[in-house]
Amino acid sequence: MYHKESSDLKKIIQGIPKAELHLHIEGSFEPELLFKIANRNNITLDYDSIESLKKAYKFNNLQEFLDIYYAGAEVLLYEQDFFDLTWAYLNKVHSQNVVHVEVFFDPQTHTDRGVGFNVVINGIYKALEKAKKELNISYKLIMSYLRHLSEEAAFKTLESSLPFKDWIDGVGLDSSEKGNPPSKFSRVFKASANQGYKLVAHAGEEGPVEYIWEALDLLKVIRIDHGNRCLDDEALVQRLLKQNIPLTLCPLSNVALKVIQKMEDHPIAKMLHKGILATIHSDDPAYFGGYMNENYYELAIALNLNKDQLMQLSINAFKASWLSPEAKEKHIYQIKNYFHSSNL
Ligand code: ADE
Ligand code: ZN
């Protein structure tokens, strides 16, 4: 239906009011800003130019990416750094008509280097609040535990978060999936729920379907991040349908990390066909070649998605969000109006 470099398709996608539900703020760190912050913090990078850093962004798997992503995050030291990072992301997605974001941050990546939890969250929070007022972007904030570290370390992070509980909506689980099953974090997820945090977890990105089952049964998450592998198991598909569990998929990430060989292999069309509440997002846009619009565009071209499927995907993101029922209804009404307008 659409052809490569279809400007009509780009225009349609630009106009959709979008929600981003799977975004690691540290993964939005563009090389230009990374160099700028490194310079002002007197940090010497392993790369002598922005171009040579960008050349390193070639990954064969999740771990190769994570090694570079954690190294990049090391230049973030002060509240202003976290503010600038978050503000740059919010301005970028504002230009793409993203109107709601649910943002992950990885406190342990910073606290393990001696940066205070308060420094990290103050910078992020102030940028989110500014965007709410000045850009009309609503937001939720999700604190992720790093699964390659121990459950005890996650408990310490939970403890550090408590003074800021009112700013944090949920907890997630990210980092190296293989060998770090959700079951490793059952107790800290239970304790997080007791503090009133909503629960999500990355599962079935590189790991097996068993990890998706564990995230549902042991962690009791209400949303799965990625979940690509769920189609391997029909009983799991039925479970996702029964509980209406959303999957936040990240097409450009999946190609960049070789979770799939090529975009044409992306499982999302099959998921939509089965009625799964699948949504698309950007994961780590500075590293994977695009933000929300580029994810929609590359996916639509590769899978030949029609307007109904694009509308479904954009509605699903609001359904899967943590907005109030009234706010969801308002956004979904606007999306339907947009797609049914005569000039589309
Ligand atoms: N942290 C940042 N991006 C991630 C991803 N795609 N999977 C797991 N952990 C991550
Ligand atoms: Zn992710």
Side-chain angles (χ1 to χ4, degrees), residues 54-180:
K54 283 184 183 167
K55 277 201 189 113
Y57 291 2
K58 288 201 179 71
F59 317 108
N60 289 303
N61 52 47
L62 174 59
Q63 193 58 52
E64 285 187 12
F65 156 68
L66 289 170
D67 292 343
I68 286 200
Y69 160 89
Y70 292 130
E74 283 184 16
V75 309
L76 298 163
L77 298 181
Y78 305 109
E79 186 180 308
Q80 187 69 44
D81 303 341
F82 291 93
F83 177 89
D84 289 351
L85 172 68
T86 311
W87 185 238
Y89 164 71
L90 291 163
N91 273 286
K92 173 71 191 181
V93 295
H94 179 59
S95 78
Q96 295 198 345
N97 204 17
V98 173
V99 295
H100 177 68
V101 295
E102 302 193 357
V103 171
F104 289 118
F105 72 116
D106 289 345
Q108 290 157 294
T109 300
H110 315 295
T111 53
D112 282 5
R113 300 181 288 114
V115 178
F117 190 102
N118 60 327
V119 170
V120 178
I121 197 163
N122 276 326
I124 295 172
Y125 177 75
K126 285 178 187 171
L128 288 167
E129 279 291 303
K130 187 173 160 77
K132 187 162 89 179
K133 290 188 196 92
E134 295 180 15
L135 307 177
N136 204 20
I137 296 179
S138 54
Y139 74 87
K140 305 285 172 188
L141 185 56
I142 310 173
M143 169 177 84
S144 261
Y145 300 125
L146 297 183
R147 70 201 303 159
H148 67 275
L149 302 177
S150 67
E151 187 179 45
E152 196 192 341
F155 265 110
K156 288 201 181 110
T157 304
L158 172 60
E159 190 71 31
S160 309
S161 77
L162 295 181
F164 305 96
K165 212 164 101 169
D166 292 349
W167 296 354
I168 301 171
D169 298 279
V171 302
L173 185 66
D174 64 5
S175 193
S176 323
E177 187 180 11
K178 281 184 185 162
N180 295 300

Side-chain angles (χ1 to χ4, degrees), residues 320-334:
S321 76
W322 296 343
L323 285 164
S324 68
E326 298 73 32
K328 287 184 189 190
E329 210 176 294
K330 182 192 83 181
H331 289 297
I332 292 169
Y333 176 79
Q334 284 171 348

Side-chain angles (χ1 to χ4, degrees), residues 24 62 65-66 69 174-175 202 205 226 253 257 283-284:
H24 303 266
L62 174 59
F65 156 68
L66 289 170
Y69 160 89
D174 64 5
S175 193
H202 283 51
E205 180 185 14
H226 296 295
S253 165
L257 301 185
D283 208 6
D284 301 283

Side-chain angles (χ1 to χ4, degrees), residues 241-302:
L241 289 173
K242 195 167 143 219
Q243 268 185 266
N244 207 21
I245 300 280
L247 303 183
T248 63
L249 289 131
C250 304
L252 285 172
S253 165
N254 294 156
V255 175
L257 301 185
K258 300 196 168 33
V259 168
I260 51 176
Q261 289 307 308
K262 54 187 188 315
M263 194 61 97
E264 286 75 6
D265 298 337
H266 203 278
I268 200 153
K270 286 193 195 108
M271 290 171 173
L272 289 182
H273 187 68
K274 284 180 177 284
I276 294 173
L277 191 56
T279 65
I280 62 173
H281 309 289
S282 68
D283 208 6
D284 301 283
Y287 293 90
F288 300 150
Y291 289 75
M292 287 289 284
N293 280 359
E294 291 79 15
N295 272 279
Y296 267 87
Y297 181 79
E298 295 298 331
L299 189 75
I301 291 284

